[in-house]
Amino acid sequence: MEAPPDNDVLWARSLHFRHQDGSPGLAGASLGVREGEIVAVSGPRGSGKTTLLRCLSGQVTPERGEVWFNSAPVHTMGPVAREQLRRDRFGWIDPAPALVPELNVWENAALPLMLRGTGRRRAKVAALEWLERLDVGEQVRRRPHELRQSERQRVAIARALASGPTVLFADEPSAPLHRADRTPVLRTLTTAARSHGITVVMATHDSEIAPLVDRTVCLLDGRCVKTVHLPDLPEAEGRAAACSLSV
């Protein structure tokens, strides 16, 4: 078993995974992510982006290959240890905001913190901070069904950030947003991650994300293909990276 590099907070080697219907999900994908790095995972539909994020976050176990978080082997952890890791160290944003209908906005955003044992008052303060930053601070006492789809997604993003994860996994976080909302929300997400030292792995089709991330990794048929790093642009918020389709 090969040890992961010391400077990678998240490291995966040769991941293979098949879905329940037998269709391939990953076919040897490998990836290393450094602490505080923001990485976009791109590729056509069905290329394995969501499956890669689910393996990296411990939601599913690869059939073959290794996943390490801070030198801990996620791929050999039992269900209880993986659940604790996801609760305490990871954050997750779905393409569709999965909010608890019985809870209001701030309670939804504070829920991961309270499940972790944080007091209600402290959890509320953290939730309100992020809800304000994501422009849904005026909706804090409303229920999810009273919000627009784009507002529900902002609440879901606030919920993921409020818990202060070490690594944030975002699966198409801008998918439910109107075009005019996408760039401001993605900029808020990436800026917040940088200011709080949060590592981000984001699956996305959104071409506007490129200037906001450090690196883009392209997936093709369940395999990572080469990434090309571009130099810093003075007007950009991050570093853009283009993809090459050669292995």
Side-chain angles (χ1 to χ4, degrees), residues 85-207:
L85 179 65
R86 292 195 301 270
R87 184 188 65 215
D88 295 345
R89 307 299 297 275
F90 294 163
W92 181 273
I93 302 170
D94 272 313
L99 303 179
V100 181
E102 296 82 8
L103 302 181
N104 65 27
V105 163
W106 81 256
E107 289 169 334
N108 265 286
L111 184 59
L113 280 169
M114 291 190 287
L115 290 175
R116 190 188 294 177
T118 303
R120 183 179 176 87
R121 180 176 298 179
R122 183 179 170 191
K124 183 177 182 178
V125 169
L128 292 177
E129 175 189 347
W130 287 109
L131 291 167
E132 287 288 345
R133 293 182 68 168
L134 285 154
D135 297 324
V136 281
E138 296 180 356
Q139 316 289 351
V140 294
R141 297 199 175 276
R142 293 191 175 185
R143 308 280 177 172
H145 74 273
E146 300 177 273
L147 306 178
R148 298 193 303 271
Q149 177 77 349
S150 60
E151 291 174 329
R152 289 195 292 270
Q153 185 67 347
R154 289 170 185 265
V155 175
I157 293 172
R159 177 179 60 188
L161 288 166
S163 62
T166 302
V167 181
L168 175 62
F169 298 94
D171 186 11
E172 299 284 359
S174 62
L177 301 174
H178 299 298
R179 185 172 182 85
D181 289 335
R182 290 178 181 174
T183 299
V185 170
L186 290 173
R187 185 180 293 114
T188 298
L189 192 161
T190 53
T191 300
R194 292 189 193 283
S195 66
H196 288 69
I198 299 172
T199 303
V200 178
V201 184
M202 182 188 311
T204 181
H205 284 101
D206 200 329
S207 60

Side-chain angles (χ1 to χ4, degrees), residues 215-235:
R215 179 163 53 105
T216 298
V217 176
C218 297
L219 279 187
L220 188 65
D221 297 330
R223 298 182 64 188
C224 294
V225 296
K226 283 185 179 179
T227 58
V228 178
H229 298 262
L230 299 183
D232 291 344
L233 299 177
E235 70 278 9

Side-chain angles (χ1 to χ4, degrees), residues 63-80:
E63 296 170 8
R64 283 185 286 152
E66 304 171 23
V67 178
W68 297 77
F69 168 69
N70 281 343
S71 301
V74 179
H75 56 287
T76 62
M77 290 181 180
V80 174

